[in-house]
Amino acid sequence: MNFKQQLLICTVMTISITGCGGSDSPSGNAPVAAAPTIDGPKQVLSENEDSFIPTASNDNSLFNVSAPSTLNYRASTTMQLQITSNSAQPCNINIYKDYDTLPGPTFTPAPSGKVIQINSDTCSYSGQIYILKQQQKLLAEVVSLQNATTTYSEVLLNGNTITLNLD
């Protein structure tokens, strides 16, 4: 037998073996099992008091949902940021919303959590910033440009003004 004949025989055998499905079952087909129900039986959703679930009565749409006129919701709010210092030395002030607190207390700010960066000749600032409503505290990082030192202060948010006194 020459090489071409051996190659032809091997090719025909390979095709015939893979053509049967490659299964161990005698018929070449694996048994089909019923699909399991993961969530259990179907449940009918009932309309709640806000009529949020679309039904035939509201044309199967969510466009008819109405909020009370007293609802005043915003995801973020504007707060006044007031930073004062007695040192009157130049500094950089960074405000972070995301940071880790380590024992000591030592803080590690997340670079992606920076809210505002301020370069001040007198180490003071007054202005407005946007804060998410669920934010409860911020981290202030003060880098003294004269002394090359860094200090951290955790600021709890209450009211409409964020006040930070640097000494």
Side-chain angles (χ1 to χ4, degrees), residues 95-153:
I95 305 293
Y96 296 92
K97 64 181 173 111
D98 297 323
Y99 56 94
D100 292 324
T101 305
L102 304 172
T106 304
F107 299 100
T108 306
S112 62
K114 189 182 291 185
V115 175
I116 190 170
Q117 180 176 0
I118 304 160
N119 185 332
S120 173
D121 292 334
T122 60
C123 210
S124 60
Y125 176 80
S126 180
Q128 300 220 342
I129 60 173
Y130 283 100
I131 300 293
L132 294 176
K133 292 260 188 190
Q134 68 266 22
Q135 195 74 36
Q136 297 177 358
K137 53 188 174 178
L138 297 172
L139 178 68
E141 176 187 54
V142 180
V143 180
S144 172
L145 300 178
Q146 187 170 6
N147 300 333
T149 58
T150 302
T151 57
Y152 294 98
S153 300

Side-chain angles (χ1 to χ4, degrees), residues 45-74:
L45 297 176
S46 60
E47 186 176 333
N48 62 14
E49 64 274 2
D50 295 332
S51 299
F52 190 71
I53 298 174
T55 62
S57 65
N58 63 14
D59 299 329
N60 290 325
S61 70
L62 298 178
F63 296 114
N64 298 330
V65 177
S66 60
S69 61
T70 58
L71 181 66
N72 185 11
Y73 175 77
R74 291 189 313 173

